[in-house]
Amino acid sequence: MLTPIWQRSLWPSAWLAIALTTQGCTTFAPRPMDEVSFKERAETQVQGGLIVTVAVPTIKEAKAIYGVDLARRGIQPVWIEIKNEEPITYWFLPSGLDPEYFSPAEVTYVFGSSTSGDANRAMDEHFERLQFRNPIRPNSTVSGFVLVQLDEGFKAVDVDLIARGHAKSFTYIILDPDFKASATRVDFEALRASKEIKDLQEEEELRRVLEQLPCCTKNKKGTEEGDPLNLVLIGDKVDIWPAFIRRGWHGTELVWSASLWRTLKSFLRGSRYRYSPVSPLYVYERPQDAAAQKARGTIHERNHLRMWLTPLRFRGQEVWLGQISRDIGVKFTLKSPTISTHVIDPDVDEARTYLIEDLAYSQALARIGYVKGVGEASKDAPRMNLVGDPYYTDGLRVVMFFEPRPRTLGDLEFIEGWGRTRTGLIETPE
């Protein structure tokens, strides 16, 4: 006997509901928070009578605290403690940390089991107890988690507090000890303690010195020139790197078995991999100290940069020299140890301009200017990088100064007399 049409039309919906329900079922087994050691990595800052402490559990620690695998759904808890010794009440704004943060009930719904009402209630109560709750009244301490989107490697944590007639902002950059970031192989303390460091005080002297920095990246032997060094960052690390993370940039993984496997899967699926490794290029006879990328739709497309800490300081702040370009595809080549490499957009000035526009929205970019760099190369007579990709450029490098946030677009200053750019935001006489 044939099944009636109305019943046949119900079957797909019913099976879909069963599938979704089954997918949502999970084992709920939390551990007491005090038994998880994530607070040993907590960082504290003080402004006036406000003492703010932040810690970010690893993926495994978060699973232990919440009793479910939050990372499987792209969720990450950030723990915040605020001690208020001022005579006014403050409110914490979670949207400043992540405008797409999750509510406890939302996460309970995702992980809850439809077959056990008691388990759902227990999970809901547990998530509610862990959540940070406003306000922070005078002479009180409030602590708890905010559930945000997952970032591996580095987490920029922005804590904005407001009261009537008052506003205070705190910024942290928290490293994930379980993530094999490319920057973890660098001994930054040794670089910062070098006796060769030169501290500059005057802007004109800074401009002259920046123009004398290396023009290009090189191969490991130092015998061939690669991509142009078209970028300089100046500021405190707590202002520079959170600005990138705030705008959706991510650190890169070391080249190792897991990262190679994730890269291969992304290549085969045509998906993106936010932490894909970048190949080593050399300045100061060493590979990049730090690398970051802004992934697009697939692993073939991304904006990426490499940075080297220079032996320079400007008024006590670090000076980083770097290279930025836009990846637009993948090719096979014997010039790469992995037999494949990305193809760059030949208009490298476009990627440089994009970075300025992007970081202008980070709330930390304060000033920009241009100095001489690699020298001009026209579209009709381009230069080549180490894997044979052509590029053309006006030959300048942008200099970007970072300061503590929040800064608006109207606060952005342009340094007059620091070069002329073909594609940048400003035109100034040389």
Side-chain angles (χ1 to χ4, degrees), residues 96-254:
L97 173 56
D98 184 349
E100 299 180 11
Y101 71 89
F102 303 89
S103 72
E106 180 180 11
V107 180
T108 300
Y109 180 81
V110 169
F111 286 97
S113 168
S114 62
T115 61
S116 175
D118 290 341
N120 277 349
R121 282 190 293 272
M123 184 182 296
D124 187 59
E125 291 172 359
H126 181 64
F127 287 9
E128 287 286 343
R129 283 195 299 270
L130 293 174
Q131 190 74 0
F132 187 97
R133 297 294 178 187
N134 279 307
I136 309 102
R137 303 188 186 281
N139 301 313
S140 70
T141 300
V142 178
S143 65
F145 288 96
V146 180
L147 297 168
V148 300
Q149 298 177 91
L150 174 66
D151 284 317
E152 297 181 49
F154 304 88
K155 188 72 176 180
V157 179
D158 293 332
V159 178
D160 294 324
L161 302 175
I162 62 170
R164 181 169 297 182
H166 297 268
K168 293 186 179 180
S169 297
F170 301 76
T171 296
Y172 305 76
I173 181 165
I174 309 295
L175 277 63
D176 180 352
D178 290 347
F179 184 81
K180 295 187 177 183
S182 58
T184 58
R185 60 172 175 71
V186 181
D187 187 350
F188 285 105
E189 293 306 316
L191 291 177
R192 292 181 174 114
S194 172
K195 297 180 181 179
E196 299 178 357
I197 290 177
K198 181 178 180 181
D199 197 349
L200 308 174
Q201 298 297 321
E202 301 300 326
E203 286 190 355
E204 185 57 27
E205 182 186 17
L206 173 67
R207 183 188 65 79
R208 290 196 303 269
V209 172
L210 293 181
E211 290 180 345
Q212 296 169 3
L213 292 176
C215 71
C216 316
T217 61
K218 291 190 175 184
N219 61 357
K220 187 174 183 179
K221 295 181 179 179
T223 57
E224 298 180 59
E225 292 183 345
D227 300 85
L229 293 164
N230 54 2
L231 176 64
V232 175
L233 310 179
I234 300 177
D236 189 283
K237 62 180 180 180
V238 77
D239 299 321
I240 295 176
W241 305 119
F244 280 87
I245 300 173
R246 203 175 292 129
R247 292 299 303 162
W249 290 77
H250 294 89
T252 60
E253 278 196 274
L254 288 170

Side-chain angles (χ1 to χ4, degrees), residues 296-315:
R296 303 180 74 188
T298 73
I299 196 171
H300 304 281
E301 303 166 341
R302 61 179 178 177
N303 283 32
H304 73 291
L305 55 86
R306 300 171 176 87
M307 302 300 302
W308 289 261
L309 183 61
T310 74
L312 302 174
R313 299 293 181 270
F314 180 62
R315 298 172 184 171

Side-chain angles (χ1 to χ4, degrees), residues 41 47 62 81 91 153 155 186 269 356 407 423:
R41 304 185 303 275
Q47 290 187 33
E81 180 184 82
W91 289 75
K155 188 72 176 180
V186 181
R269 295 173 179 173
I356 300 169
R407 299 184 62 86
T423 59

Side-chain angles (χ1 to χ4, degrees), residues 287-357:
Q288 60 268 8
D289 299 325
Q293 63 188 323
K294 194 164 190 177
R296 303 180 74 188
T298 73
I299 196 171
H300 304 281
E301 303 166 341
R302 61 179 178 177
N303 283 32
H304 73 291
L305 55 86
R306 300 171 176 87
M307 302 300 302
W308 289 261
L309 183 61
T310 74
L312 302 174
R313 299 293 181 270
F314 180 62
R315 298 172 184 171
Q317 294 192 316
E318 294 181 346
V319 178
W320 292 76
L321 177 64
Q323 166 269 329
I324 182 170
S325 58
R326 184 189 292 271
D327 286 336
I328 57 176
V330 173
K331 69 177 182 180
F332 294 98
T333 175
L334 295 178
K335 294 182 179 181
S336 170
T338 59
I339 316 300
S340 67
T341 187
H342 282 88
V343 179
I344 67 167
D345 183 342
D347 185 1
V348 292
D349 295 350
E350 187 282 331
R352 183 189 65 191
T353 300
Y354 168 80
L355 183 66
I356 300 169
E357 296 170 350

